[in-house]
Amino acid sequence: MGVDSWEMYCQTPNWQRERMMAVNHFHDPGGQFEIAEVLLSEAIDDGDPGGMKLLSLLLNSGAKHPLELDMGLGKYHRPNRPGSIVFVSDQLPSEIQGVGPFHSIAWYIRPDVLQQRASRILGREAPAMDVLHSKSFRDDAIEVLLKRLLHQFESQPAAGARMTADDLVDDLIRRLLALTENQAPAPLGPRDRLRPASIQRTLEYLHANFSQDVSRDDLAQAAGVDPCHFTRLFRQTMGQTPSRYLSQVRIEHAKHLLRYGSSELTLNEISARCGFYNQSHMGREFRRQVGTTPNLYRVYS
């Protein structure tokens, strides 16, 4: 039996409900990660990890009691409130038990891929993220990014029309790193962060206009907040400043053009297409983020 919506699942008689039904399950063509929208009537896991790290976002729950988890660091409970997140280790034995129904988004990534991408983003060896395995938490940025990533695979938009899956995965990893460095994924107060809808509008604006001159006021208008408070709210929500985030988006697009674009494209043309002032500006940012020059990256990538 298959269902394609939470509403249909809730209307299905109990005796017909299966323990697990994957509504949508997508594989990254490169084999680095998977994402799925799943419905669980019961959650049971008592065994060794499956070799993939799991980030799970609860969308809805009809359970009477919280889900009980133990990732090898002590038992804790995931509340049944939408937006609750758990990050499951690939190395620690896991125990999960609870009677649903649970409706969630599950993102799986190979640990070596996570480490490599995190280290590339930081420009140094990335820290372990074990602190995030010991409790359930909420984070508006992760919630928005997981929903956008699932939608990216569901809708399969034209190339360049929206944020790419790789962009979204890098954003997820940046946010996990920020939470790890803060040592506490405890939520900020509602006045200290951007709301999910504001985050989504801001990220969409950044990815649609990265080649242009993007100002703080432009982003604040997209987010629907006072420009005087926007930079602080963005940093507390995303773990970095808007200008740093924009620079990372531009460098990712520069890397794409260097690797897959026409060899006749000059560095000046690439820098202009990616929103940099000139070739020198792009070169400085490229070396800072990637650790090499654009020319060498083009030759050896």
Side-chain angles (χ1 to χ4, degrees):
M1 179 188 68
V3 299
D4 59 6
S5 73
W6 171 253
E7 290 77 13
M8 287 180 63
Y9 180 77
C10 290
Q11 294 169 8
T12 303
N14 286 335
W15 62 272
Q16 290 183 346
R17 295 181 184 178
E18 300 175 4
R19 177 177 295 173
M20 178 176 181
M21 290 168 283
V23 179
N24 287 307
H25 191 187
F26 302 98
H27 293 262
D28 165 48
Q32 296 189 349
F33 64 87
E34 304 171 19
I35 188 163
E37 180 184 8
V38 297
L39 296 176
L40 293 172
S41 61
E42 186 177 12
I44 296 178
D45 182 15
D46 184 7
D48 293 329
M52 300 275 276
K53 288 187 178 289
L54 164 65
L55 189 65
S56 177
L57 166 70
L58 185 66
L59 298 175
N60 273 300
S61 174
K64 295 182 179 179
H65 303 287
L67 185 68
E68 185 176 281
L69 305 97
D70 187 344
M71 299 299 137
L73 301 172
K75 289 185 178 180
Y76 66 94
H77 292 90
R78 183 191 69 181
N80 290 325
R81 296 189 299 273
S84 297
I85 298 168
V86 293
F87 188 44
V88 180
S89 171
D90 64 299
Q91 297 179 342
L92 300 173
S94 60
E95 294 183 10
I96 302 173
Q97 187 167 1
V99 177
F102 305 110
H103 179 202
S104 60
I105 295 175
W107 176 61
Y108 304 87
I109 185 167
R110 286 175 20 212
D112 60 318
V113 171
L114 178 63
Q115 182 67 23
Q116 290 167 7
R117 295 181 75 143
S119 297
R120 173 179 56 78
I121 288 168
L122 289 177
R124 55 180 170 82
E125 186 70 17
M129 301 181 187
D130 296 351
V131 67
L132 302 182
H133 297 319
S134 61
K135 63 180 69 176
S136 173
F137 60 96
R138 295 177 61 89
D139 187 82
D140 290 340
I142 287 179
E143 180 176 351
V144 168
L145 291 167
L146 283 174
K147 289 178 179 178
R148 293 287 297 165
L149 184 60
L150 178 64
H151 180 71
Q152 181 77 16
F153 280 91
E154 288 177 331
S155 60
Q156 297 182 337
R162 298 185 185 176
M163 299 165 65
T164 67
D166 271 347
D167 291 331
L168 291 164
V169 168
D170 280 349
D171 288 344
L172 275 170
I173 295 172
R174 288 188 186 99
R175 188 58 189 152
L176 290 171
L177 286 169
L179 292 174
T180 299
E181 291 177 356
N182 290 338
Q183 293 290 306
L188 297 166
R191 295 184 179 181
D192 297 323
R193 61 185 179 187
L194 293 172
R195 292 177 297 176
S198 296
I199 299 169
Q200 180 169 331
R201 290 195 301 268
T202 303
L203 297 185
E204 288 179 343
Y205 184 90
L206 276 166
H207 283 268
N209 297 279
F210 67 89
S211 62
Q212 309 298 319
D213 184 15
V214 178
S215 70
R216 181 198 64 176
D217 288 356
D218 293 332
L219 296 175
Q221 183 176 3
V225 301
D226 188 329
C228 295
H229 302 299
F230 173 76
T231 299
R232 174 180 59 84
L233 294 173
F234 186 95
R235 183 170 187 170
Q236 291 182 170
T237 304
M238 298 299 294
Q240 59 186 320
T241 64
S243 59
R244 176 61 60 87
Y245 183 95
L246 177 59
S247 178
Q248 291 169 343
V249 171
R250 286 170 169 166
I251 289 298
E252 287 303 313
H253 282 273
K255 287 166 61 179
H256 180 83
L257 290 175
L258 288 166
R259 178 178 291 180
Y260 302 111
S262 170
S263 59
E264 296 180 359
L265 276 175
T266 67
L267 293 184
N268 270 327
E269 289 171 327
I270 291 175
S271 64
R273 290 190 184 189
C274 294
F276 293 103
Y277 298 126
N278 49 45
Q279 177 181 333
S280 297
H281 181 211
M282 182 180 74
R284 288 194 301 272
E285 283 299 306
F286 203 96
R287 284 191 296 273
R288 185 179 66 80
Q289 294 187 37
V290 185
T292 188
T293 66
N295 269 327
L296 287 176
Y297 183 86
R298 170 178 261 173
V299 171
Y300 294 107
S301 64

mmCIF file of all heavy atoms in Angstrom, residues 79-124:
data_model
loop_
_atom_site.group_PDB
_atom_site.id
_atom_site.type_symbol
_atom_site.label_atom_id
_atom_site.label_comp_id
_atom_site.label_asym_id
_atom_site.label_seq_id
_atom_site.Cartn_x
_atom_site.Cartn_y
_atom_site.Cartn_z
ATOM 1 N N PRO A 79 10.685 15.754 20.850
ATOM 2 C CA PRO A 79 9.294 16.183 21.000
ATOM 3 C C PRO A 79 8.497 15.927 19.723
ATOM 4 O O PRO A 79 9.061 15.838 18.626
ATOM 5 C CB PRO A 79 9.417 17.685 21.285
ATOM 6 C CG PRO A 79 10.817 17.884 21.756
ATOM 7 C CD PRO A 79 11.638 16.855 21.047
ATOM 8 N N ASN A 80 7.194 15.828 19.856
ATOM 9 C CA ASN A 80 6.331 15.582 18.704
ATOM 10 C C ASN A 80 5.930 16.864 17.980
ATOM 11 O O ASN A 80 5.024 16.848 17.151
ATOM 12 C CB ASN A 80 5.070 14.828 19.150
ATOM 13 C CG ASN A 80 5.388 13.399 19.548
ATOM 14 O OD1 ASN A 80 6.260 12.766 18.960
ATOM 15 N ND2 ASN A 80 4.702 12.893 20.559
ATOM 16 N N ARG A 81 6.594 17.954 18.282
ATOM 17 C CA ARG A 81 6.282 19.223 17.630
ATOM 18 C C ARG A 81 6.945 19.298 16.258
ATOM 19 O O ARG A 81 8.123 18.944 16.112
ATOM 20 C CB ARG A 81 6.750 20.398 18.489
ATOM 21 C CG ARG A 81 6.038 20.521 19.825
ATOM 22 C CD ARG A 81 6.408 21.827 20.513
ATOM 23 N NE ARG A 81 7.832 21.903 20.785
ATOM 24 C CZ ARG A 81 8.400 21.423 21.889
ATOM 25 N NH1 ARG A 81 7.666 20.820 22.807
ATOM 26 N NH2 ARG A 81 9.702 21.547 22.082
ATOM 27 N N PRO A 82 6.223 19.759 15.228
ATOM 28 C CA PRO A 82 6.847 19.961 13.914
ATOM 29 C C PRO A 82 8.068 20.863 14.032
ATOM 30 O O PRO A 82 8.059 21.851 14.766
ATOM 31 C CB PRO A 82 5.737 20.635 13.099
ATOM 32 C CG PRO A 82 4.470 20.171 13.740
ATOM 33 C CD PRO A 82 4.778 20.079 15.214
ATOM 34 N N GLY A 83 9.125 20.511 13.313
ATOM 35 C CA GLY A 83 10.358 21.284 13.364
ATOM 36 C C GLY A 83 11.431 20.660 14.236
ATOM 37 O O GLY A 83 12.581 21.105 14.214
ATOM 38 N N SER A 84 11.089 19.609 14.995
ATOM 39 C CA SER A 84 12.091 18.934 15.823
ATOM 40 C C SER A 84 13.078 18.183 14.927
ATOM 41 O O SER A 84 12.686 17.531 13.969
ATOM 42 C CB SER A 84 11.419 17.951 16.785
ATOM 43 O OG SER A 84 10.567 18.629 17.682
ATOM 44 N N ILE A 85 14.364 18.273 15.268
ATOM 45 C CA ILE A 85 15.433 17.724 14.434
ATOM 46 C C ILE A 85 16.298 16.783 15.262
ATOM 47 O O ILE A 85 16.576 17.051 16.436
ATOM 48 C CB ILE A 85 16.315 18.858 13.862
ATOM 49 C CG1 ILE A 85 15.488 19.779 12.957
ATOM 50 C CG2 ILE A 85 17.513 18.299 13.087
ATOM 51 C CD1 ILE A 85 16.200 21.071 12.588
ATOM 52 N N VAL A 86 16.738 15.682 14.641
ATOM 53 C CA VAL A 86 17.753 14.818 15.247
ATOM 54 C C VAL A 86 18.836 14.562 14.203
ATOM 55 O O VAL A 86 18.567 14.488 13.005
ATOM 56 C CB VAL A 86 17.173 13.483 15.759
ATOM 57 C CG1 VAL A 86 16.242 13.720 16.927
ATOM 58 C CG2 VAL A 86 16.468 12.717 14.655
ATOM 59 N N PHE A 87 20.074 14.445 14.684
ATOM 60 C CA PHE A 87 21.227 14.185 13.823
ATOM 61 C C PHE A 87 21.867 12.898 14.313
ATOM 62 O O PHE A 87 22.396 12.837 15.420
ATOM 63 C CB PHE A 87 22.210 15.353 13.899
ATOM 64 C CG PHE A 87 23.347 15.274 12.916
ATOM 65 C CD1 PHE A 87 23.132 14.912 11.601
ATOM 66 C CD2 PHE A 87 24.642 15.579 13.314
ATOM 67 C CE1 PHE A 87 24.176 14.851 10.692
ATOM 68 C CE2 PHE A 87 25.698 15.526 12.416
ATOM 69 C CZ PHE A 87 25.459 15.157 11.100
ATOM 70 N N VAL A 88 21.801 11.850 13.498
ATOM 71 C CA VAL A 88 22.190 10.503 13.916
ATOM 72 C C VAL A 88 23.583 10.173 13.395
ATOM 73 O O VAL A 88 23.869 10.337 12.205
ATOM 74 C CB VAL A 88 21.172 9.466 13.399
ATOM 75 C CG1 VAL A 88 21.567 8.061 13.842
ATOM 76 C CG2 VAL A 88 19.771 9.804 13.908
ATOM 77 N N SER A 89 24.446 9.685 14.281
ATOM 78 C CA SER A 89 25.809 9.322 13.918
ATOM 79 C C SER A 89 25.839 8.047 13.085
ATOM 80 O O SER A 89 24.955 7.195 13.183
ATOM 81 C CB SER A 89 26.648 9.124 15.182
ATOM 82 O OG SER A 89 27.907 8.567 14.872
ATOM 83 N N ASP A 90 26.883 7.914 12.272
ATOM 84 C CA ASP A 90 27.085 6.687 11.496
ATOM 85 C C ASP A 90 27.927 5.680 12.261
ATOM 86 O O ASP A 90 28.065 4.533 11.837
ATOM 87 C CB ASP A 90 27.799 7.012 10.180
ATOM 88 C CG ASP A 90 29.200 7.557 10.426
ATOM 89 O OD1 ASP A 90 29.301 8.617 11.075
ATOM 90 O OD2 ASP A 90 30.181 6.932 9.983
ATOM 91 N N GLN A 91 28.516 6.079 13.384
ATOM 92 C CA GLN A 91 29.470 5.223 14.092
ATOM 93 C C GLN A 91 28.921 4.668 15.396
ATOM 94 O O GLN A 91 29.298 3.581 15.817
ATOM 95 C CB GLN A 91 30.754 6.004 14.381
ATOM 96 C CG GLN A 91 31.477 6.448 13.114
ATOM 97 C CD GLN A 91 32.733 7.247 13.421
ATOM 98 O OE1 GLN A 91 32.905 7.748 14.526
ATOM 99 N NE2 GLN A 91 33.609 7.374 12.443
ATOM 100 N N LEU A 92 28.040 5.400 16.045
ATOM 101 C CA LEU A 92 27.535 4.959 17.339
ATOM 102 C C LEU A 92 26.323 4.051 17.158
ATOM 103 O O LEU A 92 25.493 4.286 16.284
ATOM 104 C CB LEU A 92 27.139 6.170 18.187
ATOM 105 C CG LEU A 92 28.264 7.164 18.492
ATOM 106 C CD1 LEU A 92 27.702 8.387 19.188
ATOM 107 C CD2 LEU A 92 29.326 6.508 19.354
ATOM 108 N N PRO A 93 26.199 3.002 17.973
ATOM 109 C CA PRO A 93 24.998 2.170 17.907
ATOM 110 C C PRO A 93 23.776 2.988 18.290
ATOM 111 O O PRO A 93 23.832 3.822 19.189
ATOM 112 C CB PRO A 93 25.279 1.062 18.928
ATOM 113 C CG PRO A 93 26.294 1.642 19.847
ATOM 114 C CD PRO A 93 27.130 2.564 19.012
ATOM 115 N N SER A 94 22.680 2.761 17.598
ATOM 116 C CA SER A 94 21.494 3.580 17.831
ATOM 117 C C SER A 94 20.335 2.732 18.333
ATOM 118 O O SER A 94 20.185 1.575 17.960
ATOM 119 C CB SER A 94 21.083 4.288 16.537
ATOM 120 O OG SER A 94 20.798 3.348 15.524
ATOM 121 N N GLU A 95 19.543 3.329 19.204
ATOM 122 C CA GLU A 95 18.301 2.719 19.663
ATOM 123 C C GLU A 95 17.203 3.760 19.527
ATOM 124 O O GLU A 95 17.303 4.858 20.081
ATOM 125 C CB GLU A 95 18.416 2.265 21.117
ATOM 126 C CG GLU A 95 19.404 1.128 21.330
ATOM 127 C CD GLU A 95 19.434 0.654 22.773
ATOM 128 O OE1 GLU A 95 18.546 1.085 23.537
ATOM 129 O OE2 GLU A 95 20.330 -0.126 23.127
ATOM 130 N N ILE A 96 16.178 3.429 18.755
ATOM 131 C CA ILE A 96 15.065 4.346 18.514
ATOM 132 C C ILE A 96 13.775 3.577 18.731
ATOM 133 O O ILE A 96 13.618 2.463 18.232
ATOM 134 C CB ILE A 96 15.102 4.906 17.073
ATOM 135 C CG1 ILE A 96 16.434 5.621 16.811
ATOM 136 C CG2 ILE A 96 13.939 5.857 16.827
ATOM 137 C CD1 ILE A 96 16.619 6.057 15.367
ATOM 138 N N GLN A 97 12.859 4.166 19.479
ATOM 139 C CA GLN A 97 11.598 3.481 19.727
ATOM 140 C C GLN A 97 10.489 4.499 19.926
ATOM 141 O O GLN A 97 10.641 5.482 20.649
ATOM 142 C CB GLN A 97 11.696 2.570 20.955
ATOM 143 C CG GLN A 97 10.457 1.705 21.157
ATOM 144 C CD GLN A 97 10.699 0.601 22.165
ATOM 145 O OE1 GLN A 97 11.779 0.483 22.723
ATOM 146 N NE2 GLN A 97 9.694 -0.221 22.398
ATOM 147 N N GLY A 98 9.365 4.263 19.253
ATOM 148 C CA GLY A 98 8.217 5.139 19.414
ATOM 149 C C GLY A 98 7.086 4.710 18.506
ATOM 150 O O GLY A 98 7.304 4.134 17.443
ATOM 151 N N VAL A 99 5.866 4.965 18.946
ATOM 152 C CA VAL A 99 4.680 4.656 18.155
ATOM 153 C C VAL A 99 4.167 5.953 17.552
ATOM 154 O O VAL A 99 3.906 6.917 18.267
ATOM 155 C CB VAL A 99 3.596 3.994 19.019
ATOM 156 C CG1 VAL A 99 2.343 3.741 18.194
ATOM 157 C CG2 VAL A 99 4.116 2.691 19.607
ATOM 158 N N GLY A 100 4.044 5.979 16.230
ATOM 159 C CA GLY A 100 3.689 7.184 15.497
ATOM 160 C C GLY A 100 2.196 7.442 15.440
ATOM 161 O O GLY A 100 1.477 7.101 16.374
ATOM 162 N N PRO A 101 1.783 8.053 14.338
ATOM 163 C CA PRO A 101 2.522 8.213 13.085
ATOM 164 C C PRO A 101 3.499 9.392 13.107
ATOM 165 O O PRO A 101 3.261 10.389 13.777
ATOM 166 C CB PRO A 101 1.418 8.454 12.055
ATOM 167 C CG PRO A 101 0.332 9.123 12.848
ATOM 168 C CD PRO A 101 0.374 8.492 14.209
ATOM 169 N N PHE A 102 4.602 9.235 12.359
ATOM 170 C CA PHE A 102 5.599 10.280 12.192
ATOM 171 C C PHE A 102 5.747 10.590 10.704
ATOM 172 O O PHE A 102 5.883 9.681 9.891
ATOM 173 C CB PHE A 102 6.966 9.831 12.733
ATOM 174 C CG PHE A 102 6.946 9.364 14.164
ATOM 175 C CD1 PHE A 102 7.136 8.028 14.469
ATOM 176 C CD2 PHE A 102 6.736 10.260 15.197
ATOM 177 C CE1 PHE A 102 7.129 7.585 15.782
ATOM 178 C CE2 PHE A 102 6.723 9.835 16.520
ATOM 179 C CZ PHE A 102 6.918 8.494 16.818
ATOM 180 N N HIS A 103 5.749 11.851 10.370
ATOM 181 C CA HIS A 103 5.938 12.311 8.984
ATOM 182 C C HIS A 103 7.177 13.197 8.986
ATOM 183 O O HIS A 103 7.215 14.213 9.677
ATOM 184 C CB HIS A 103 4.704 13.099 8.531
ATOM 185 C CG HIS A 103 4.800 13.635 7.137
ATOM 186 N ND1 HIS A 103 4.043 14.697 6.710
ATOM 187 C CD2 HIS A 103 5.558 13.260 6.073
ATOM 188 C CE1 HIS A 103 4.324 14.950 5.436
ATOM 189 N NE2 HIS A 103 5.241 14.096 5.037
ATOM 190 N N SER A 104 8.196 12.813 8.231
ATOM 191 C CA SER A 104 9.463 13.530 8.345
ATOM 192 C C SER A 104 10.217 13.576 7.023
ATOM 193 O O SER A 104 9.896 12.857 6.074
ATOM 194 C CB SER A 104 10.346 12.875 9.414
ATOM 195 O OG SER A 104 10.624 11.531 9.065
ATOM 196 N N ILE A 105 11.221 14.446 6.988
ATOM 197 C CA ILE A 105 12.202 14.482 5.903
ATOM 198 C C ILE A 105 13.497 13.904 6.452
ATOM 199 O O ILE A 105 13.946 14.293 7.536
ATOM 200 C CB ILE A 105 12.443 15.915 5.399
ATOM 201 C CG1 ILE A 105 11.173 16.485 4.761
ATOM 202 C CG2 ILE A 105 13.587 15.943 4.380
ATOM 203 C CD1 ILE A 105 11.302 17.941 4.341
ATOM 204 N N ALA A 106 14.083 12.970 5.722
ATOM 205 C CA ALA A 106 15.328 12.328 6.152
ATOM 206 C C ALA A 106 16.406 12.575 5.101
ATOM 207 O O ALA A 106 16.216 12.255 3.927
ATOM 208 C CB ALA A 106 15.109 10.832 6.348
ATOM 209 N N TRP A 107 17.522 13.152 5.539
ATOM 210 C CA TRP A 107 18.662 13.414 4.653
ATOM 211 C C TRP A 107 19.828 12.552 5.106
ATOM 212 O O TRP A 107 20.246 12.613 6.261
ATOM 213 C CB TRP A 107 19.037 14.894 4.711
ATOM 214 C CG TRP A 107 20.246 15.278 3.910
ATOM 215 C CD1 TRP A 107 20.416 15.164 2.566
ATOM 216 C CD2 TRP A 107 21.457 15.866 4.412
ATOM 217 N NE1 TRP A 107 21.653 15.647 2.189
ATOM 218 C CE2 TRP A 107 22.315 16.080 3.304
ATOM 219 C CE3 TRP A 107 21.902 16.237 5.684
ATOM 220 C CZ2 TRP A 107 23.582 16.646 3.435
ATOM 221 C CZ3 TRP A 107 23.164 16.797 5.820
ATOM 222 C CH2 TRP A 107 23.987 17.000 4.700
ATOM 223 N N TYR A 108 20.326 11.708 4.204
ATOM 224 C CA TYR A 108 21.431 10.807 4.500
ATOM 225 C C TYR A 108 22.663 11.255 3.716
ATOM 226 O O TYR A 108 22.562 11.566 2.525
ATOM 227 C CB TYR A 108 21.092 9.372 4.088
ATOM 228 C CG TYR A 108 19.835 8.813 4.693
ATOM 229 C CD1 TYR A 108 18.598 9.024 4.087
ATOM 230 C CD2 TYR A 108 19.878 8.056 5.863
ATOM 231 C CE1 TYR A 108 17.432 8.501 4.631
ATOM 232 C CE2 TYR A 108 18.721 7.527 6.411
ATOM 233 C CZ TYR A 108 17.499 7.759 5.793
ATOM 234 O OH TYR A 108 16.352 7.240 6.334
ATOM 235 N N ILE A 109 23.820 11.266 4.373
ATOM 236 C CA ILE A 109 25.055 11.642 3.689
ATOM 237 C C ILE A 109 26.193 10.756 4.174
ATOM 238 O O ILE A 109 26.280 10.429 5.368
ATOM 239 C CB ILE A 109 25.395 13.135 3.916
ATOM 240 C CG1 ILE A 109 26.620 13.539 3.087
ATOM 241 C CG2 ILE A 109 25.586 13.455 5.390
ATOM 242 C CD1 ILE A 109 26.833 15.041 2.999
ATOM 243 N N ARG A 110 27.042 10.344 3.241
ATOM 244 C CA ARG A 110 28.199 9.537 3.611
ATOM 245 C C ARG A 110 29.120 10.347 4.517
ATOM 246 O O ARG A 110 29.378 11.523 4.258
ATOM 247 C CB ARG A 110 28.956 9.100 2.360
ATOM 248 C CG ARG A 110 28.268 8.011 1.580
ATOM 249 C CD ARG A 110 28.964 7.662 0.276
ATOM 250 N NE ARG A 110 30.355 8.066 0.206
ATOM 251 C CZ ARG A 110 30.952 8.433 -0.931
ATOM 252 N NH1 ARG A 110 30.260 8.469 -2.058
ATOM 253 N NH2 ARG A 110 32.223 8.767 -0.934
ATOM 254 N N PRO A 111 29.633 9.747 5.594
ATOM 255 C CA PRO A 111 30.475 10.503 6.539
ATOM 256 C C PRO A 111 31.742 11.065 5.909
ATOM 257 O O PRO A 111 32.179 12.160 6.264
ATOM 258 C CB PRO A 111 30.787 9.481 7.636
ATOM 259 C CG PRO A 111 30.486 8.146 7.037
ATOM 260 C CD PRO A 111 29.397 8.363 6.046
ATOM 261 N N ASP A 112 32.345 10.324 4.958
ATOM 262 C CA ASP A 112 33.557 10.844 4.326
ATOM 263 C C ASP A 112 33.238 12.056 3.457
ATOM 264 O O ASP A 112 34.015 13.014 3.390
ATOM 265 C CB ASP A 112 34.242 9.758 3.494
ATOM 266 C CG ASP A 112 33.350 9.211 2.383
ATOM 267 O OD1 ASP A 112 32.148 8.994 2.639
ATOM 268 O OD2 ASP A 112 33.849 9.006 1.257
ATOM 269 N N VAL A 113 32.067 12.042 2.826
ATOM 270 C CA VAL A 113 31.648 13.188 2.014
ATOM 271 C C VAL A 113 31.377 14.395 2.904
ATOM 272 O O VAL A 113 31.785 15.521 2.602
ATOM 273 C CB VAL A 113 30.392 12.834 1.187
ATOM 274 C CG1 VAL A 113 29.822 14.073 0.504
ATOM 275 C CG2 VAL A 113 30.727 11.763 0.158
ATOM 276 N N LEU A 114 30.696 14.152 4.031
ATOM 277 C CA LEU A 114 30.416 15.242 4.964
ATOM 278 C C LEU A 114 31.709 15.872 5.459
ATOM 279 O O LEU A 114 31.841 17.106 5.492
ATOM 280 C CB LEU A 114 29.600 14.716 6.145
ATOM 281 C CG LEU A 114 29.266 15.737 7.241
ATOM 282 C CD1 LEU A 114 28.390 16.853 6.691
ATOM 283 C CD2 LEU A 114 28.581 15.053 8.419
ATOM 284 N N GLN A 115 32.688 15.051 5.820
ATOM 285 C CA GLN A 115 33.958 15.566 6.328
ATOM 286 C C GLN A 115 34.709 16.345 5.255
ATOM 287 O O GLN A 115 35.252 17.428 5.512
ATOM 288 C CB GLN A 115 34.818 14.408 6.841
ATOM 289 C CG GLN A 115 36.154 14.821 7.441
ATOM 290 C CD GLN A 115 35.999 15.601 8.729
ATOM 291 O OE1 GLN A 115 34.973 15.491 9.397
ATOM 292 N NE2 GLN A 115 36.996 16.396 9.085
ATOM 293 N N GLN A 116 34.744 15.816 4.035
ATOM 294 C CA GLN A 116 35.457 16.484 2.944
ATOM 295 C C GLN A 116 34.823 17.832 2.612
ATOM 296 O O GLN A 116 35.521 18.837 2.445
ATOM 297 C CB GLN A 116 35.469 15.589 1.706
ATOM 298 C CG GLN A 116 36.351 14.356 1.835
ATOM 299 C CD GLN A 116 36.101 13.347 0.728
ATOM 300 O OE1 GLN A 116 35.358 13.607 -0.220
ATOM 301 N NE2 GLN A 116 36.714 12.180 0.845
ATOM 302 N N ARG A 117 33.499 17.846 2.525
ATOM 303 C CA ARG A 117 32.825 19.091 2.161
ATOM 304 C C ARG A 117 32.925 20.110 3.293
ATOM 305 O O ARG A 117 33.090 21.309 3.044
ATOM 306 C CB ARG A 117 31.368 18.814 1.791
ATOM 307 C CG ARG A 117 31.235 17.967 0.540
ATOM 308 C CD ARG A 117 29.800 17.703 0.154
ATOM 309 N NE ARG A 117 29.171 18.869 -0.451
ATOM 310 C CZ ARG A 117 28.298 18.804 -1.455
ATOM 311 N NH1 ARG A 117 27.968 17.629 -1.976
ATOM 312 N NH2 ARG A 117 27.751 19.895 -1.944
ATOM 313 N N ALA A 118 32.821 19.645 4.532
ATOM 314 C CA ALA A 118 32.944 20.560 5.665
ATOM 315 C C ALA A 118 34.346 21.166 5.722
ATOM 316 O O ALA A 118 34.505 22.366 5.982
ATOM 317 C CB ALA A 118 32.624 19.824 6.965
ATOM 318 N N SER A 119 35.367 20.358 5.470
ATOM 319 C CA SER A 119 36.745 20.858 5.489
ATOM 320 C C SER A 119 36.979 21.846 4.351
ATOM 321 O O SER A 119 37.683 22.852 4.520
ATOM 322 C CB SER A 119 37.731 19.687 5.384
ATOM 323 O OG SER A 119 37.613 18.824 6.501
ATOM 324 N N ARG A 120 36.388 21.568 3.191
ATOM 325 C CA ARG A 120 36.520 22.503 2.066
ATOM 326 C C ARG A 120 35.862 23.836 2.392
ATOM 327 O O ARG A 120 36.403 24.906 2.093
ATOM 328 C CB ARG A 120 35.881 21.900 0.812
ATOM 329 C CG ARG A 120 35.813 22.875 -0.364
ATOM 330 C CD ARG A 120 35.208 22.249 -1.589
ATOM 331 N NE ARG A 120 33.891 21.690 -1.365
ATOM 332 C CZ ARG A 120 32.775 22.409 -1.300
ATOM 333 N NH1 ARG A 120 32.822 23.734 -1.397
ATOM 334 N NH2 ARG A 120 31.605 21.825 -1.120
ATOM 335 N N ILE A 121 34.703 23.793 3.016
ATOM 336 C CA ILE A 121 33.989 25.022 3.366
ATOM 337 C C ILE A 121 34.792 25.851 4.364
ATOM 338 O O ILE A 121 34.901 27.074 4.241
ATOM 339 C CB ILE A 121 32.598 24.676 3.931
ATOM 340 C CG1 ILE A 121 31.682 24.169 2.804
ATOM 341 C CG2 ILE A 121 31.968 25.874 4.625
ATOM 342 C CD1 ILE A 121 30.399 23.536 3.296
ATOM 343 N N LEU A 122 35.387 25.178 5.357
ATOM 344 C CA LEU A 122 36.151 25.886 6.390
ATOM 345 C C LEU A 122 37.548 26.280 5.933
ATOM 346 O O LEU A 122 38.151 27.199 6.478
ATOM 347 C CB LEU A 122 36.266 25.012 7.642
ATOM 348 C CG LEU A 122 34.997 24.799 8.464
ATOM 349 C CD1 LEU A 122 35.288 23.857 9.620
ATOM 350 C CD2 LEU A 122 34.445 26.122 8.984
ATOM 351 N N GLY A 123 38.076 25.561 4.940
ATOM 352 C CA GLY A 123 39.450 25.800 4.525
ATOM 353 C C GLY A 123 40.458 25.182 5.475
ATOM 354 O O GLY A 123 41.641 25.527 5.463
ATOM 355 N N ARG A 124 40.009 24.247 6.296
ATOM 356 C CA ARG A 124 40.861 23.537 7.254
ATOM 357 C C ARG A 124 40.134 22.262 7.664
ATOM 358 O O ARG A 124 39.006 22.021 7.231
ATOM 359 C CB ARG A 124 41.136 24.398 8.490
ATOM 360 C CG ARG A 124 39.877 24.900 9.186
ATOM 361 C CD ARG A 124 40.191 25.753 10.409
ATOM 362 N NE ARG A 124 39.021 26.420 10.938
ATOM 363 C CZ ARG A 124 38.120 25.863 11.743
ATOM 364 N NH1 ARG A 124 38.274 24.593 12.120
ATOM 365 N NH2 ARG A 124 37.088 26.549 12.189
#
